[in-house]
Amino acid sequence: MTGTWLGMPPFPEAARKALGDTQLRTNLRKATGTIRGKRAAVVAERADWEALRVAGKEIKDRTLHNLDTYLEQLERNVTAAGGVVHWARDAAEANRIVIDLVRAADADEVVKVKSMATQEIELNEALAEAGIAAYETDLAELIVQLGHDRPSHILVPAIHRNRAEIRDIFLREMPGVTEALTDDPAELAAAARAHLRRKFLTAKVAVSGANFAVADSGTLVVVESEGNGRMCLTLPEVLISVVGIEKLVPTWQDLEVMLQLLPRSSTGERMNPYTSTWTGVTPGDGPREFHLILLDNGRTDALADDIGRQALRCIRCSACLNVCPVYERTGGHAYGSVYPGPIGAILTPQLRGVTADEVSPTLPFASTLCGACYEVCPVLIDIPQALVHLRAKAVDAKRGKPSAERAAMRVAQWFFGSSRRLRVAQRLVATGGRVLSRRGRIGRLPGPLKGWSGARDTATPPRRTFRTWWESR
């Protein structure tokens, strides 16, 4: 873990801090509630919604089972249309390719379409180290960038910010903005539009991701709501798209299904306001160069896992975040990754490796396993199943290593191994519990017990154990 997410604490610690931020919880509750309501309304319009979900799942599974074939087909068709395909095994290789392409274009800045893949590889930080400025053009991403912040939601990266906070960021960071700016959404959008328009008209290079890539034609697809994507995809001379290898669909007919699932599940719309497609280059129209970087970065490792691979079906709609009771209370930063929420809890540990850092092994436990995420997922990812599977992996990775939990289990084994020792332990617990209790409850405890007792009370142990009660009768 590097750059933006370097030094993030494990989920429990980060979540505990987030729970103390009342404004954050208010912002999240209002935003996720609104999106949930919109999604429910448009989904209810479709009598065939469940059939669409099944179709989406089957399309993605068929693609993943034949991924090598479809990737080669995509490469052939992109190349035939005048594009250039690059293969990147990891983040470092992808960043190096982008930097080399920007330098070859004799540019020192790029404009960007919102892209989870470029956030995942921390492209902006790599470009900055190479002396290249990257300008986010999606409004929410711009807010995050100007605020020197981290994204906290897949669809709405600045969901943790309210209008007043956004106004303060614009006044502090955006050139040309005056104190006359209010927190009216229309005024804030107008200020961002004026700021970005200059970048659109002068940038020689644009960087994008893609929501989908169609193998049988070599076409890439970006869906968005603001029009900034259309500007980035058409005005610059060079277009570089960084795309995860799992984003493929075999045909345009398959794309049709996805374009019915995605907008309803993400923004609660029947269709996206802007759906941009491009195939290679067209002389006299749009960019003169198109480069497609196909990114692995842990995806083939996930693909090898029979249960974990279903995370690669994800179409980044964020529906699971909006219904998750844990996410609504902690926000996205607590997950220590560009992929927050339930999908991040199963995707991040697989891309990074379950034991790669302090954050990844804690993410599969960042869930109540309530199943709400599975109920809304448009491609039927069984997130609770994957969470349990990854929890087992996280535990297995620690076997044989000394830990407080392992020591506690050994002590418990020793007590449970003898009825006499167990009787003594029960008496000690009962006595200690009465000393620590207040009004029949044991509250916050010190030391290793504070993690449990800090969020819940425990009933005072009874004076008599079941064993002594039974013996007395």
Side-chain angles (χ1 to χ4, degrees), residues 26 33 73 328:
T26 300
Q73 183 182 25
E328 186 177 297

Side-chain angles (χ1 to χ4, degrees), residues 89-152:
R89 286 165 291 195
D90 54 28
E93 192 167 357
N95 288 335
R96 186 167 62 251
I97 293 169
V98 175
I99 291 169
D100 289 344
L101 291 172
V102 174
R103 287 173 173 166
D106 195 26
D108 59 4
E109 64 180 27
V110 301
V111 289
K112 290 185 65 205
V113 187
K114 180 178 180 294
S115 163
M116 301 299 295
T118 60
Q119 292 174 14
E120 174 191 328
I121 64 175
E122 299 184 332
L123 177 62
N124 287 11
E125 290 77 13
L127 290 173
E129 289 180 6
I132 300 168
Y135 296 98
E136 298 289 351
T137 64
D138 174 86
L139 179 55
E141 290 288 358
L142 176 65
I143 293 165
V144 169
Q145 184 179 43
L146 292 178
H148 308 288
D149 202 351
R150 302 183 182 98
S152 63

